[in-house]
Amino acid sequence: MSYVLNIAGKAPAVDYALLTAAAFINTSSDGDIKLNFVDGKTVSKDVATSAQLLKGDETVSTDSIEILNYFGTEFPTVILAKKESEEWIKFSHEKLLVKDFKKLSVDLEKLESHLNLRSFIIGYKITAADIAIWGALRANPVMGSVLKNSVYINVTRWYQFLESDKRFGEMPTLLSTSLAEMKKLSKNGKKEIHKA
Amino acid sequence: MAFSKEQQQAAVSQWESLAPHIEDHVKELNETLKANTYVAGTGVHTDADVKVFKAVLPLATATLVKDVAANRHILRWIDLLQNTVPGLSESKLALDLDAALPREIKE
């Protein structure tokens, strides 16, 4: 059964974590998740969230934490450490999307000290926790310059290491080029309608 | 840091040649591993990681662990390699991954 993942490309916090999770699943042997980008702040008029997962015609979930956990259950050899990742996934949504830097910095310091002697969030491989946290930091507009300036040295090393993996680094580009393509197509479409 | 393929190859050769005299390059190694998960800025470990690891491990066990804060990046990398590359060392360097260390500020 194949899946469709709807992603709101203009959401206040774009779901980069789910895009990356889908890339992990699709580059594995058992993956079949079709990505569908929506040029809007929400998935649709009826679905007021930033993401929606469909299996066939059925909605699996419209909650981004639930979808990532679902991937961890359905693809346990690809989206690793579902159980241990849960608290980190929660942390990424509740704490790392905050734009008030004074508040955000408290949690970035926690992450920084967690990565003092660790190369990954959990154990020695990329897990759902890395995917969730990377996605949240990528979506947070405050983080661009913070990461670039290595304000948090360990966080920057970890972030850039993951970014050099295409399944992380290429997803934001895929999203923006897809949105640009859609815009072009809809403009052309309008012109044709005009002509007719 | 995102190294190009050429830079990564150059870094591999550089660290391979520094490995026999690693005791003179501890600071440099720590600085490199501050910004890079592996010594040559690669996404996976290279021959340079293995060579430098073997060279630096006795020093790490004897001296570097006494100042975890100052050598944290080398120790982080040692822990990564000893848990992911089979047959690197007979006994593992013991590290408390949750040790409270002062936060580093970029110079």
Side-chain angles (χ1 to χ4, degrees), chain A residues 116-119 124 151 154, chain B residues 72 76 79 83 98 103:
Chain A
N116 263 329
L117 296 168
R118 290 183 177 89
S119 305
Y124 302 96
V151 179
N154 299 321
Chain B
R72 66 183 79 183
R76 190 257 320 146
D79 189 59
N83 283 290
D98 288 310
R103 189 180 148 204

Side-chain angles (χ1 to χ4, degrees), chain A residues 6-192:
Chain A
N6 289 323
I7 294 282
K10 299 274 172 68
V14 174
D15 246 306
Y16 291 115
L18 292 183
L19 281 180
T20 292
F24 270 73
I25 295 163
N26 284 340
T27 51
S28 76
S29 55
D30 43 21
D32 187 9
I33 296 174
K34 194 185 167 294
L35 294 175
N36 180 37
F37 299 112
V38 180
D39 188 6
K41 288 183 178 169
T42 62
V43 170
S44 68
K45 266 190 206 159
D46 306 323
V47 180
T49 59
S50 59
Q52 177 186 33
L53 182 68
L54 299 156
K55 188 176 187 181
D57 293 333
E58 299 272 313
T59 296
V60 175
S61 174
T62 59
D63 179 83
S64 115
I65 293 182
E66 252 178 50
I67 296 173
L68 189 53
N69 283 325
Y70 179 86
F71 284 155
T73 307
E74 293 297 306
F75 305 97
T77 58
V78 187
I79 307 299
L80 302 176
K82 189 222 170 217
K83 184 121 195 48
E84 302 93 307
S85 294
E86 275 176 14
E87 59 165 317
W88 290 105
I89 296 173
K90 219 171 143 244
F91 171 76
S92 74
H93 277 258
E94 287 173 2
K95 307 288 188 183
L96 299 181
L97 293 170
V98 171
K99 287 171 193 157
D100 175 351
F101 186 72
K102 219 174 159 190
K103 275 190 194 159
L104 178 64
S105 64
V106 175
D107 293 297
L108 288 173
E109 275 178 36
K110 282 182 199 162
L111 188 58
E112 175 72 2
S113 79
H114 185 76
L115 292 169
N116 263 329
L117 296 168
R118 290 183 177 89
S119 305
F120 298 95
I121 302 295
I122 297 167
Y124 302 96
K125 281 179 183 165
I126 297 171
T127 66
D130 296 281
I131 293 173
I133 294 174
W134 191 91
L137 297 185
R138 181 61 181 77
N140 192 335
V142 173
M143 286 308 297
S145 66
V146 175
L147 288 162
K148 198 173 160 225
N149 295 323
S150 297
V151 179
Y152 302 91
I153 290 170
N154 299 321
V155 174
T156 293
R157 178 194 66 247
W158 165 88
Y159 182 92
Q160 291 181 342
F161 177 72
L162 294 182
E163 189 173 41
S164 67
D165 181 322
K166 288 179 181 178
R167 296 168 296 183
F168 288 87
E170 285 188 357
M171 298 319 277
T173 322
L174 175 67
L175 170 64
S176 54
T177 52
S178 302
L179 289 180
E181 289 278 309
M182 281 164 55
K183 225 176 200 170
K184 230 169 152 185
L185 282 175
S186 74
K187 262 187 194 162
N188 291 342
K190 269 180 199 159
K191 265 183 199 164
E192 276 175 25

